[in-house]
Amino acid sequence: MKRLGLLRHAKSEEHQPAGYDFDRGINAKGRRAAEAMGRYIGTKVAPFDRILASPAVRVQETLNIALDAMGKAAPVDRVEDRRLYLATADSILDVLTDLAGDEDSILLVAHNPGLEDAVLDHVPDDGSSPLRDTVAVKFPTGAFAVLEFDIDDWSEIDGAKARLVDLKRPRDLDPTLGPEMAN
C-alpha cells in the first residue's frame, strides 16, 4: 500500500502587477493556516517518508512553517521539483513516478487545480466518500488530504483507485481561517 498526502499552499499574497506569480509569498492568514495544518499533520497523521514540493515561494513558505509546527514528526527527505509548479494531475503523477522511489508515504505540496484533480481522478465518484464530495466543492488554500492506494510501486499509480482517508481544511482547525478565497 502507498499513502499520498496532498497539501495545498496556504493563502497567498495578492497578485502584484509587476511581480511574477512564482514569487508570491503567503499572507498573515496563510501563515496561521500553515502552522495549524502542520500541527495537525504532526500530531494526527502518521509520518511521511519523503516530501515532494513545488519550488514556488508560497509553497516553500507554507512547507517551512508546517514543518516547524510538525516538530519531530516532520519528514527529513525533501525534494523540490519545478514540474510541480501549477502542475496538472497528470504532471503530479509523473513526478511521483519519477521521484517517490521506494518510499511508502509521500507528502506532496503544490497548487490547484492539480491537487484537487488528483483527488477527484483517483477517488471513485460512487457516493461512498463524503470527503470526496467536499473536495469536489472546493479544495481551498491550505487544505490537506490523504489518499491510500492498494499498489506496491508508485509506477502503478496511473489509473489506480484510492481511498480518501483524511481531509482537513484550515477552517476545520480554526474557524477564523475560513472561508477561503480562490488564491
Side-chain angles (χ1 to χ4, degrees), residues 118-168:
V119 172
L120 298 177
D121 288 351
H122 291 283
V123 177
D125 184 16
D126 59 7
S128 65
S129 176
L131 295 177
R132 185 196 190 279
D133 296 341
T134 300
V135 172
V137 172
K138 186 171 188 178
F139 193 68
T141 55
F144 171 72
V146 178
L147 302 174
E148 289 183 346
F149 294 87
D150 287 325
I151 58 176
D152 295 320
D153 190 271
W154 290 107
S155 64
E156 302 168 34
I157 196 170
D158 191 14
K161 292 303 174 194
R163 288 175 306 284
L164 179 55
V165 297
D166 197 358
L167 174 65
K168 283 291 180 267

Side-chain angles (χ1 to χ4, degrees), residues 10-30:
K11 181 85 173 125
S12 59
E13 299 169 333
E14 293 299 319
H15 186 72
Q16 302 297 324
Y20 295 102
D21 177 72
F22 185 90
D23 297 325
R24 284 192 301 150
I26 60 176
N27 65 21
K29 184 176 179 180

Side-chain angles (χ1 to χ4, degrees), residues 82-149:
R82 179 76 180 204
R83 293 176 294 173
L84 290 173
Y85 174 61
L86 304 179
T88 64
D90 288 338
S91 295
I92 288 171
L93 295 184
D94 291 343
V95 171
L96 277 168
T97 300
D98 291 349
L99 300 177
D102 294 332
E103 304 296 353
D104 288 328
S105 62
I106 301 295
L107 175 60
L108 192 139
V109 190
H111 314 263
N112 249 7
L115 294 177
E116 180 177 311
D117 290 344
V119 172
L120 298 177
D121 288 351
H122 291 283
V123 177
D125 184 16
D126 59 7
S128 65
S129 176
L131 295 177
R132 185 196 190 279
D133 296 341
T134 300
V135 172
V137 172
K138 186 171 188 178
F139 193 68
T141 55
F144 171 72
V146 178
L147 302 174
E148 289 183 346
F149 294 87

